[in-house]
């Protein structure tokens, strides 16, 4: 199979959150397709892979949606990445002190205003078993996205073709040859 044969499966879009998910998966596909590296530098680390997918969620919503939907999807993304941040903080504490899993779960998730009736549900979160020490990568992307959009808007206003060129030459083309910190040092 050709390394540029990149595909995503798309379910029907029935909500703004479904659309956000589509933008996210397109973000992965675009990162892979614009990566001109070979060998190990073509394989993106999770931090860069997920960050670029989340960044594309933000970029696509700015470029495509009407004003009302931009507001609504931004609220969804704030909620989603706040949840991810709480989950990451919980996980970091859990790694330090695994014997306090339920207590730490209540401590962190109470910040969301939730009443936790059964703190043993912490174990149902697939990020703890399938993708441990991973969820923070989404938070990195959300943290970068707003600064990046502000940077591109300052540089190019609504000249979105220039946004794309900047992203290609400063972020995408060299895959993992530069780490995520170096790629976004410019903003």
């Amino acid at each position: 199979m050709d390394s540029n044969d990149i595909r995503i499966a798309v379910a029907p879009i029935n909500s703004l959150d479904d659309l956000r998910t589509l933008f996210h998966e397109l973000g992965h596909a675009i990162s892979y397709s614009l990566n001109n590296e070979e060998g190990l530098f073509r394989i993106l680390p999770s931090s860069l892979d997920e960050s670029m997918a989340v960044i594309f969620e933000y970029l696509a919503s700015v470029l495509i949606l009407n004003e009302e939907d931009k507001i609504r999807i931004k609220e969804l993304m704030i909620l989603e990445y706040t949840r991810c941040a709480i989950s990451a903080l919980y996980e970091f504490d859990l790694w330090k002190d695994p014997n306090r899993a339920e207590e730490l779960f209540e401590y962190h998730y109470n910040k969301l205003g939730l009443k936790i009736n059964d703190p043993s549900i912490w174990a149902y979160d697939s990020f703890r078993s399938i993708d441990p020490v991973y969820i923070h990568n989404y938070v990195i992307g959300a943290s970068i996205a707003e600064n990046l959009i502000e940077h591109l808007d300052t540089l190019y206003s609504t000249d979105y073709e220039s946004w794309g060129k900047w992203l290609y030459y400063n972020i995408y083309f060299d895959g993992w040859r530069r780490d995520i910190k170096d790629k976004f040092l410019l903003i």
Side-chain angles (χ1 to χ4, degrees), residues 24-185:
H24 183 93
E25 298 310 322
L26 284 170
H28 285 298
I30 288 168
S31 287
Y32 304 146
S33 69
L34 295 178
N35 180 348
N36 291 331
E37 288 296 333
E38 294 181 7
L40 289 177
F41 290 118
R42 186 155 178 79
I43 301 168
L44 301 180
S46 300
S47 57
L48 184 57
D49 187 22
E50 290 302 343
S51 289
M52 291 312 301
V54 173
I55 287 167
F56 193 78
E57 291 176 41
Y58 281 79
L59 287 169
S61 67
V62 166
L63 300 176
I64 295 172
L65 299 179
N66 64 40
E67 291 306 314
E68 181 181 332
D69 286 340
K70 283 180 190 177
I71 292 167
R72 291 173 46 211
I73 205 165
K74 184 170 182 159
E75 288 174 353
L76 280 171
M77 289 188 291
I78 289 169
L79 291 170
E80 177 63 10
Y81 295 113
T82 299
R83 181 191 68 79
C84 289
I86 295 282
S87 181
L89 291 172
Y90 167 65
E91 186 171 49
F92 295 153
D93 280 352
L94 182 61
W95 277 95
K96 290 181 211 168
D97 199 351
N99 295 324
R100 294 180 51 218
E102 286 82 8
E103 177 188 342
L104 292 169
F105 186 81
E106 282 186 294
Y107 171 76
H108 285 288
Y109 283 86
N110 279 338
K111 295 173 185 176
L112 295 173
L114 301 174
K115 172 71 176 121
I116 308 299
N117 294 324
D118 182 5
S120 69
I121 64 170
W122 74 269
Y124 292 128
D125 188 335
S126 64
F127 275 103
R128 302 295 93 75
S129 57
I130 297 171
D131 293 311
V133 195
Y134 191 89
I135 199 164
H136 67 281
N137 293 310
Y138 300 100
V139 180
I140 293 168
S143 298
I144 293 170
E146 293 193 24
N147 290 329
L148 178 59
I149 289 170
E150 186 178 313
H151 179 72
L152 293 171
D153 187 55
T154 299
L155 289 176
Y156 304 113
S157 187
T158 58
D159 179 1
Y160 299 127
E161 186 174 336
S162 292
W163 285 38
K165 287 177 183 176
W166 188 96
L167 287 164
Y168 176 74
Y169 289 109
N170 291 286
I171 308 300
Y172 288 116
F173 84 98
D174 64 349
W176 190 31
R177 186 157 300 275
R178 290 177 298 132
D179 67 27
I180 190 168
K181 183 180 70 173
D182 292 338
K183 286 180 181 286
F184 293 104
L185 200 57

